[in-house]
Amino acid sequence: MSTTADGPTDQDIEHLRATVGVAVRSRKNGNHPFGAVLAGPDGRVLLEAENSVVTGRDATGHAETNLVRAASAAYDPKFLLTCTLYTSTEPCAMCSGAIYWGGIGRVVYALGEDQLLALTGADLENPTMALPCRRVFAAGQRPLPVVGPVDLPEARAVHDGFWNRG
């Protein structure tokens, strides 16, 4: 998969749009509006995962963590180093740790964690941490390239009317 120093490739944008579709489905299924997709080195989508915090009654059921669990069970660690995890929103500190420990080779995200905080405010369902994924990854022992935030209006739109509902 080719990347540019400045930003996402056309294929990255296509996969990010797919994550937003998964986030829409997650919301329709009664969960928080987040989605993630894993693509192999050839760009083919291998797995996708939605958030399951509400329906699974599991605070760790974030889309990225769910995806890493499935990927770790399905693929060899050496192969995962060649894969890219795409996500509708920047991975939180917990998900960043899972991505790092799961051995994923690259991350691309649409909406930034700071942008999410601006949308959610002090909503108790999403106590956003001001800890960018790049800082978490930088504390590790292997490089983990990150592309994002990528401006996709639909990545913001999936959150419209969801947070701070009273």
Side-chain angles (χ1 to χ4, degrees):
M1 177 186 314
S2 64
T3 60
T4 65
D6 300 353
T9 66
D10 290 342
Q11 186 174 63
D12 290 339
I13 299 293
E14 179 184 327
H15 289 321
L16 285 176
R17 287 201 166 103
T19 69
V20 174
V22 176
V24 167
R25 188 175 71 228
S26 179
R27 183 174 175 169
K28 286 180 183 174
N29 287 337
N31 288 294
H32 300 157
F34 301 104
V37 166
L38 183 72
D42 61 357
R44 186 173 54 90
V45 172
L46 304 172
L47 296 169
E48 60 181 38
E50 56 187 79
N51 181 286
S52 62
V53 167
V54 176
T55 58
R57 298 181 52 87
D58 178 0
T60 67
H62 292 194
E64 300 91 341
T65 301
N66 290 339
L67 187 71
V68 171
R69 283 185 191 116
S72 296
Y75 298 104
D76 180 85
K78 287 181 184 176
F79 177 72
L80 289 175
L81 281 171
T82 68
C83 294
T84 299
L85 185 145
Y86 294 90
T87 182
S88 59
T89 305
E90 181 175 1
C92 71
M94 176 187 70
C95 292
S96 295
I99 292 164
Y100 176 82
W101 287 110
I104 306 295
R106 178 173 175 257
V107 172
V108 181
Y109 67 89
L111 192 67
E113 189 79 9
D114 58 336
Q115 296 167 309
L116 177 65
L117 178 59
L119 293 173
T120 65
D123 193 300
L124 295 177
E125 285 191 48
N126 192 51
T128 301
M129 298 175 101
L131 184 55
C133 69
R134 283 179 175 86
R135 275 189 50 204
V136 175
F137 298 144
Q141 296 182 30
R142 68 174 173 91
L144 207 161
V146 177
V147 175
V150 176
D151 185 25
L152 279 183
E154 55 264 50
R156 281 186 301 282
V158 72
H159 295 274
D160 287 350
F162 186 85
W163 304 103
N164 299 302
R165 296 168 289 180

